[in-house]
Amino acid sequence: MNSGNTPAVWQNPLRDKRDKRMPRIAGPCAVVIFGVTGDLARKKLMPAIYDLANRGLLPPSFALIGFARRDWADEDFGQIVYDAVKKHARTPFRQEVWDRLAEGFRFVQGTFDDDAAFARLAETLRKLDAERGTGGNHAFYLSIPPGAFPVVCEQLSKSGLAETQEGCWSRVVIEKPFGHDLESAEALNSVVNSVFPESSVFRIDHYLGKETVQNILALRFANEMFEPIWNAHYVDSVQITMAEDIGLGGRAGYYDGIGAARDVIQNHLLQLLALTAMEEPVSFSPAELQAEKIKVLSATRLAGPLEETTSRGQYTAGWQGSEKVVGLLDEEGFSKTSTTETFAAITLDVDTRRWAGVPFYLRTGKRLGRRVTEIALLFKRAPHLPFDASMTDELGQNALVIRVQPDEGITLRFGSKVPGNKMEVRDVNMDFSYGSAFAEDSPEAYERLILDVLLGEPSLFPVNEEVELSWKILDPALEHWAEHGKPDPYESGSWGPQSAFEMLQRSGRDWRRP
Ligand code: BG6
């Protein structure tokens, strides 16, 4: 008999009666991609659109319009999409899906400053609305350098495309970098917001589209086990690592002068920090989720002095596995005197009751030992160890590690008795792995995010204020580095410059070896 207040079978009173297996499908719409010849469009956007169509999540009337300078016919554009889909799509190729999707492909030739080209674009969309039934709903995907945002926004405004007609929507999707510091981000945001209201602006941070990143919220707020220890009473420090093994050959145009901190700390890593450190939102409504992220980002600042709490590096030649690779300065397109960092690490304090005194260490780099992104909560040591000291030599800190990628999952690390007749304690791991726990494959981040744009679901898109707060956090480090010389060299295939290790050693800590 159940004599307490808890029902024998616990039922969630808020349980939604809808069948959750029925996915939401986008309504009639057209997507216009600017920057259709770029890498992102070919490797991520076009394949994701095909994958969505293949999963039955796009409407039959869907249309995709490419806008670029090339002198292409609709068929040439179709061929580019076809090649991209064949090479990069996640789901199998199905001819009937492709044929239906390809009927909605159009290409508009022009440059961004060409009024006539935007008039042709408007005409193409009008025709599609009337003939294909795209319903006057248009998403404009700016997969272009931020320098071109103002002119494209202005053209969309002049040609009437930014205006939302009665019962229809018009949305703009922008890709990072959202500026290169706080001031430029504010300027960029004000240009975009002068044409599109904030509710129609979707800023892509593709990390938020990753299943493992969304799972941070499920892990923390759907369980009773973790939240009680998710604070400064138990956590010693937090390490957020985004390591890549690839180099920057071929990416000089974008990366030189930008560097690792602007490329990924300002956006991906600070978003991971926000989700890890924020308080429980009242609900998962976009406004309430954003309010909590904004609150925690407002409480976050660089710990100082910056010469001791930050590090930046640049890779030199070395070995990546069995491949001999060149240093950044010998990569195609980089100047021999480039001071662009390919590695950056910072220490942050989160000034809240929950986190006071817990350093958050963020690091990212190219050409590191291997590709891995993880968030590790490292716990304080037990206040007393009633063992013979030599029996706990191999006992480290307890850790909870969210493995964002690859090998997506969660690891708990704790001490366990080594079998035998001594009370020897050693670290062991307990693993949850997406691959073995779930039969379904995770969709690509861009599938989720593009679908959310078409559904008008803004939860996974950082708002203006989050972007500006992130620059506010990072700017002092960028200024410090700009004033203090060159990044420290580190060998390709290593785990970064010596200064990054010293940064933690000063407080008696060490980076995790993922
Ligand atoms: C992008 C950065 O945002 O993320 C790249 O501009 C980086 O430099 C990429 O390589 C990594 O994404 P992912 O999803 O492969 O971790």
Side-chain angles (χ1 to χ4, degrees), residues 176 206-207 210 242 244 251 263 268 366 371 405:
K176 69 176 186 65
H206 79 280
Y207 264 59
K210 293 184 190 270
M242 175 184 166
E244 294 183 281
R251 285 193 78 200
D263 183 37
H268 308 328
K366 305 281 183 193
R371 175 174 180 255
Q405 66 186 27

Side-chain angles (χ1 to χ4, degrees), residues 242-248 251 254-255 259-260 263-264 314-315 320 328 341-344 364-369 490-494 496:
M242 175 184 166
E244 294 183 281
D245 50 7
I246 49 169
L248 285 156
R251 285 193 78 200
Y254 161 72
Y255 203 91
D263 183 37
V264 301
Q314 189 181 71
Y315 65 81
Q320 203 80 51
L328 183 84
E341 85 273 357
T342 58
F343 176 99
T364 184
K366 305 281 183 193
R367 287 267 185 250
L368 296 183
Y490 64 96
E491 201 179 317
S492 288
S494 72

Side-chain angles (χ1 to χ4, degrees), residues 229-293:
I229 54 168
W230 206 272
N231 56 52
H233 294 298
Y234 299 95
V235 177
D236 165 73
S237 61
V238 179
Q239 295 188 8
I240 303 182
T241 297
M242 175 184 166
E244 294 183 281
D245 50 7
I246 49 169
L248 285 156
R251 285 193 78 200
Y254 161 72
Y255 203 91
D256 204 9
I258 294 264
R262 289 186 173 94
D263 183 37
V264 301
I265 292 187
Q266 186 272 341
N267 37 75
H268 308 328
L269 297 199
L270 283 173
Q271 284 290 326
L272 294 184
L273 175 142
L275 294 172
T276 307
M278 71 183 207
E279 295 303 315
E280 180 175 294
V282 176
S283 76
F284 287 130
S285 78
E288 275 154 349
L289 195 58
Q290 276 146 12
E292 291 306 332
K293 285 202 280 168

Side-chain angles (χ1 to χ4, degrees), residues 338-360:
S338 173
T339 56
T340 300
E341 85 273 357
T342 58
F343 176 99
I346 59 176
T347 312
L348 295 165
D349 286 330
V350 179
D351 292 335
T352 61
R353 173 179 285 250
R354 185 191 283 264
W355 293 116
V358 178
F360 280 69

